[in-house]
Amino acid sequence: MTLQAPVPTPGAEPESVERAAKAELRHPASWLPTVKVTAGAFLTALVIGAVVIALSDDDVIESLKYFGTYPWDSFTRSWDAIWSSYSALVKGAVGSSNAIASTLDRSAPLICAGLGVTLAFRAGLFNIGAQGQLIIGALCAGYVGFTWNLPPFVHLVVALVAGLASGALWGAIPGFLKARTGAHEVITTIMFNYLAASVLIYALSHDTFQRPGSDNALSPKVDDSAAFPRLSIGGFDAHLGVLIALLAGAAAWWLLERSTWGFELRAVGANAHASRTAGMSVAKVYTLAMLLAGMLAGLAATMQVLGNQNSLSATLPGSIGFDAITVALLGRASPLGTVLAGLLFGAMSVGGVAMQAGAGTPKELTDVLQALIVLFVAAPALVKGMLRIKESGGGATVMAKGWGS
Amino acid sequence: MAVANAISDEGIVDVRDRTDIRRQAKLVSIFGLVLLALIAFYSRIDDFHIVYTLGERVIKDDPAKEINAQPIMIVGIVVAALALLLAAVNRVPKGALGALGYLLVGVAFFSGFIIWCYADQSGAFSVAIINPFPGTIRLATPLIFGAIAGCLCERAGVINIAIEGQFLMGAFFAAVASSMAYSAEMGLVGGILAGVAIAVLLGVFALRYQVNQVVLGVVLIALATGLTDFLLSQVPDDPDIKKYLNEPLILERVPISGLVNIPVIGPALFNQTILVYIMYASVVFVTLLLFQTTWGLRARSVGEHPKAADTVGIKVNRIRWQAVLLGGAFAGLGGAYFTVGSTGTFDSNASAGNGFIALAAVIMGRWNPVGATLASLLFGFCFTLQAQLAFLDKIPGELLRASPYLITVIAVAGSVGRVRPPAADGEPYQS
């Protein structure tokens, strides 16, 4: 599949892509439509979410029974339900320094794994394997973290490197297979997710990975010497990994936009045939891009294992690897966008729990909202049509043409 | 030895194609490994007596039979040794005869493996080898539905990654429809409608708004997962209400009299639920539809070269819409398997990644309904075997569970290699 950088108008020529990208930085007129469309996508998703909240509220359902005689009741009760849910969502996510800390904490792995998917996207690869890379990274970082005995700082670095290297290796295999045999990365990364899950369960059934004196499939926590130091300012308490995640975003930006290798990566993503003709090694780019993607997913794993000192268990990875894909899509496959999208998704997931506790609206609603936002962001034509936005531009996220080479 | 042979052969034959040398090296190493494995199995077995039954389980009327597996094992070793010899002198036939040879070696390896697994059982009673085919068909049913849905969409040029999402929605609404109507068959209707609903979203966004179809598929899966989880959390625990929402009836098995008495394959093929029989019909229907009808020709032309199709007056997007919607119906039926077709109640993430496996089956089957069906059957067989071997302690269950995925990677990277999708797969078309 051929993926292109964010393009103002679908089907633009590569040269105009570069020009548009430059223009995008300078003139508000060129990025304003994008902002408008994104805001429109949010609005549409929130409206649909509001309808779902109202229809799932008992009071509202009750009032619908006498809608014919006293319709106003339904509206006020709907409004109450929607307002209490959404305000609980926002308050739970960013309402206090505590909430902001947990939002950042939740966002950090999403940002890292999302950056991995973004990098692969720009090379024209669809990396569904973040989940597997994350599992393997967590397994290795955790193993080093709780079995080895090393001095404090060294232990952290070694565990971090173990997580990054193992994730990178797990990611590089599908990239290498794609480069050498043409095996489609969508299939191989999916299968590698399952393989990683099996490896995790297998490892957890062994004594080395189990808590001493326990038969549960649950590992010990990593030693304090291998954990990220915590940053506490007032009521704000988060681990250092949050900072590392943001730095990873900056590094990914530099790599993609400012380095020679990043140029090669984007070139291969835009047109693999042309890049091959120009003398670039497509195989090298595929392998290295997947290696870096895996490394970033491994970094995401260290956020959980070394940052929050979570035990390894079958449920540890959750759905971070899959959410990372939606984060990257929402971020339009750009590092800055991915960081912002990761923060948003982290906030929604923290806020969703608060919403369930405070307003009784199930936290699964935030999953629906996230999917809807990405869906509408991906379909600018629909949003423009609904909200009567006239300007051209504000175009598609990532363009893919098919199964590819 | 393999290398030495390859080199000496090169000396004898003046000009040899490099691919031919590579083929020989590949075959020698594969057959050599098979032979080594078989000998290893043979040497590690003390007691060659194994018990088996042709039925699906051991019952009183049909007790397990005992057999000495030593001769079978020896035959297998001989077959592998002969194959290695042929490969070493580069006389492995090509074409149908060669395929038969590969099959024989495969069967030899497989039976050796199974004998090794089931032999040497010490204990009060031994686990019997049971007929794996009924389970294979059952577990392959949703995969086949998903795979033919994928074939339909992709042959018409629309990438459908959202099979998993269609499965989830199909499973959920099959459960709801079956509970409400108090009829398992109505569950199938609910499943179809839910599958078509996701297909409508796929069509609207992919065909009308031209959203990147791979992206769209992933988003639709996220949406279906979120939506079914949300709706599931809305089902009250109150049993009086719950029985109308998530306590579906399960499809009964309908044995086809006469045919069901055929040994081994009878109970596998003809003692299944109506969903499985619909699956047989669907495979035939979609194959005929795609390759023997005008509509099929149009759909395939739209998937290969939409502009050419448009030029001769075919309505590209109309054909694509029809293919997507029809595919949605099949995928929804596949989803129904996970509730009314097997366990009943819908649980969170009921399809458990089967949609992705169906997608892999589409690609392994090279976008052909029959090929995809065979690939699905292979997966179904792996899953069944894994469930059966889990009773024995020879191999850790977790590693067994990984085997279907490993096989897929090897198949996609090795033999299937550079498959060729429909040329315009995933490309939106605007007339």
Side-chain angles (χ1 to χ4, degrees):
Chain A
M1 115 192 51
T2 316
L3 295 153
Q4 291 174 3
V7 181
T9 44
E13 294 296 310
E15 303 94 77
S16 68
V17 174
E18 289 294 321
R19 216 177 300 136
K22 274 184 192 145
E24 211 164 305
L25 292 172
R26 287 177 197 148
H27 301 293
S30 63
W31 52 256
L32 202 59
T34 315
V35 174
K36 269 191 190 170
V37 168
T38 311
F42 273 89
L43 197 70
T44 321
L46 287 178
V47 167
I48 295 179
V51 173
V52 174
I53 292 174
L55 288 180
S56 67
D57 190 80
D58 291 340
D59 287 347
V60 177
I61 301 292
E62 194 70 25
S63 69
L64 281 179
K65 285 177 187 159
Y66 52 89
F67 187 80
T69 49
Y70 198 65
W72 190 244
D73 234 23
S74 303
F75 292 119
T76 50
R77 286 184 182 181
S78 303
W79 174 254
D80 284 347
I82 295 164
W83 177 251
S84 66
S85 295
Y86 279 160
S87 60
L89 182 74
V90 174
K91 250 184 227 152
V94 290
S96 64
S97 57
N98 216 342
I100 293 178
S102 43
T103 290
L104 284 176
D105 184 87
R106 194 71 64 89
S107 306
L110 284 175
I111 291 174
C112 297
L115 286 170
V117 180
T118 290
L119 262 182
F121 254 138
R122 296 297 282 271
L125 296 169
F126 197 42
N127 173 23
I128 304 188
Q131 185 82 0
Q133 295 146 14
L134 196 139
I135 290 173
I136 296 297
L139 201 62
C140 293
Y143 178 76
V144 172
F146 54 70
T147 50
W148 293 11
N149 277 317
L150 292 169
F153 180 70
V154 180
H155 199 178
L156 171 62
V157 171
V158 173
L160 192 61
V161 168
L164 293 183
S166 56
L169 191 67
W170 198 256
I173 301 170
F176 178 75
L177 288 179
K178 162 100 175 176
R180 278 301 296 274
T181 69
H184 201 278
E185 79 278 2
V186 169
I187 301 302
T188 47
T189 51
I190 289 171
M191 294 304 145
F192 268 67
N193 285 344
Y194 289 113
L195 284 178
S198 306
V199 171
L200 176 69
I201 294 171
Y202 178 64
L204 286 174
S205 70
H206 278 252
D207 286 343
T208 336
F209 282 91
Q210 272 174 2
R211 278 191 191 170
S214 157
D215 276 343
N216 291 336
L218 198 67
S219 80
K221 294 180 189 312
V222 295
D223 298 342
D224 285 339
S225 56
F228 282 129
R230 298 199 76 83
L231 311 162
S232 294
I233 310 154
F236 179 88
D237 180 58
H239 59 79
L240 184 71
V242 173
L243 213 60
I244 298 182
L246 298 178
L247 287 177
W253 173 82
W254 180 85
L255 185 81
L256 272 179
E257 306 292 338
R258 289 289 176 273
S259 71
T260 316
W261 189 76
F263 176 78
E264 270 189 36
L265 186 143
R266 283 183 293 141
V268 169
N271 191 334
H273 295 294
S275 312
R276 191 176 291 124
T277 313
M280 299 174 190
S281 164
V282 176
K284 192 186 85 185
V285 167
Y286 281 163
T287 312
L288 278 179
M290 282 304 289
L291 183 122
L292 277 178
M295 189 185 279
L296 283 162
L299 184 63
T302 64
M303 301 288 150
Q304 289 189 296
V305 178
L306 309 178
N308 296 331
Q309 287 181 282
N310 288 333
S311 317
L312 299 176
S313 70
T315 54
L316 170 75
S319 63
I320 291 179
F322 296 109
D323 293 343
I325 302 169
T326 24
V327 164
L329 294 178
L330 182 59
R332 294 171 187 241
S334 82
L336 176 67
T338 306
V339 170
L340 292 178
L343 287 171
L344 176 78
F345 273 36
M348 284 179 86
S349 117
V350 171
V353 178
M355 180 175 76
Q356 183 160 20
T361 310
K363 64 177 190 302
E364 287 81 9
L365 181 75
T366 53
D367 298 339
V368 179
L369 279 181
Q370 288 173 352
L372 285 174
I373 290 173
V374 180
L375 188 61
F376 289 127
V377 166
L382 172 68
V383 175
K384 276 193 228 162
M386 279 195 300
L387 302 176
R388 310 249 181 281
I389 298 175
K390 287 274 162 53
E391 293 106 316
S392 61
T397 49
V398 262
M399 309 281 291
K401 282 204 306 236
W403 283 112
S405 50
Chain B
M1 187 185 120
V3 178
N5 266 319
I7 292 170
S8 69
D9 267 10
E10 217 171 1
I12 298 161
V13 186
D14 295 342
V15 186
R16 258 188 81 190
D17 198 351
R18 191 176 283 170
T19 51
D20 193 41
I21 298 172
R22 213 177 287 154
R23 173 174 178 264
Q24 188 189 7
K26 214 191 245 174
L27 286 178
V28 166
S29 44
I30 291 175
F31 292 156
L33 281 176
V34 168
L35 185 64
L36 277 180
L38 283 176
I39 291 173
F41 290 146
Y42 186 84
S43 62
R44 301 185 79 184
I45 300 175
D46 301 321
D47 176 14
F48 278 94
H49 285 88
I50 49 174
V51 286
Y52 73 99
T53 173
L54 293 181
E56 240 190 294
R57 58 176 67 86
V58 181
I59 44 175
K60 246 192 196 134
D61 302 336
D62 181 21
K65 300 176 230 356
E66 197 178 287
I67 187 175
N68 183 358
Q70 197 163 14
I72 304 176
M73 201 81 184
I74 292 172
V75 170
I77 291 176
V78 169
V79 166
L82 277 177
L84 181 62
L85 200 69
L86 279 178
V89 297
N90 200 21
R91 286 285 180 275
V92 179
K94 288 178 181 167
L97 204 59
L100 186 70
Y102 300 147
L103 187 74
L104 275 178
V105 176
V107 169
F109 173 75
F110 180 72
S111 40
F113 173 71
I114 291 291
I115 290 168
W116 171 70
C117 284
Y118 282 90
D120 283 338
Q121 289 189 46
S122 54
F125 76 105
S126 8
V127 179
I129 302 179
I130 59 170
N131 183 356
F133 297 111
T136 301
I137 300 279
R138 258 200 316 278
L139 293 181
T141 300
L143 299 177
I144 293 173
F145 273 124
I148 55 177
C151 285
L152 258 178
C153 292
E154 303 214 358
R155 273 302 173 116
V158 182
I159 293 180
N160 185 3
I161 287 193
I163 300 171
E164 175 78 1
Q166 293 175 319
F167 274 0
L168 275 175
M169 292 286 277
F172 182 80
F173 284 99
V176 172
S178 164
S179 312
M180 280 169 114
Y182 205 69
S183 134
E185 283 73 22
M186 279 311 287
L188 298 184
V189 177
I192 291 177
L193 291 179
V196 171
I198 293 285
V200 168
L201 283 180
L202 181 69
V204 167
F205 283 93
L207 300 176
R208 180 154 162 65
Y209 294 107
Q210 313 210 335
V211 176
N212 173 342
Q213 291 162 9
V214 178
V215 169
L216 179 62
V218 173
V219 175
L220 285 180
I221 293 171
L223 184 68
T225 314
L227 207 59
T228 47
D229 280 351
F230 175 77
L231 292 172
L232 185 66
S233 71
Q234 291 292 312
V235 174
D237 286 330
D238 184 359
D240 283 342
I241 309 176
K242 196 182 173 190
K243 74 177 175 199
Y244 292 114
L245 289 175
N246 196 11
E247 274 175 19
L249 295 182
I250 298 173
L251 290 169
E252 303 277 338
R253 286 196 189 189
V254 190
I256 295 180
S257 55
L259 291 173
V260 78
N261 296 325
I262 306 170
V264 185
I265 61 161
L269 292 175
F270 304 111
N271 185 19
Q272 301 280 12
T273 62
I274 185 159
L275 188 62
V276 177
Y277 301 133
I278 296 177
M279 178 269 284
Y280 301 153
S282 307
V283 174
V284 176
F285 171 72
V286 171
T287 310
L288 291 181
L289 182 70
L290 273 178
F291 298 107
Q292 303 294 334
T293 66
T294 318
W295 186 88
L297 183 63
R298 286 182 181 161
R300 284 181 291 135
S301 72
V302 157
E304 295 290 342
H305 201 317
K307 192 150 214 169
D310 194 17
T311 315
V312 295
I314 297 169
K315 297 261 184 291
V316 174
N317 280 336
R318 183 187 293 174
I319 297 274
R320 286 186 171 175
W321 260 110
Q322 289 160 351
V324 167
L325 293 181
L326 187 60
F330 287 124
L333 273 176
Y337 169 83
F338 296 103
T339 49
V340 294
S342 57
T343 53
T345 317
F346 180 87
D347 290 319
S348 176
N349 199 14
S351 57
N354 271 286
F356 292 116
I357 304 203
L359 185 66
V362 172
I363 296 179
M364 277 175 78
R366 304 184 184 207
W367 287 270
N368 183 316
V370 176
T373 303
L374 292 178
S376 305
L377 285 172
L378 174 70
F379 282 120
F381 185 70
C382 285
F383 291 140
T384 313
L385 201 64
Q386 165 229 316
Q388 292 179 2
L389 293 185
F391 287 110
L392 304 158
D393 289 339
K394 286 257 166 98
I395 303 172
E398 293 80 11
L399 293 189
L400 269 178
R401 180 158 38 189
S403 61
Y405 311 122
L406 206 58
I407 290 172
T408 312
V409 172
I410 293 170
V412 171
S415 60
V416 181
R418 291 180 195 276
V419 289
R420 202 188 62 83
D425 204 3
E427 278 179 30
Y429 185 77
Q430 220 164 17
S431 48

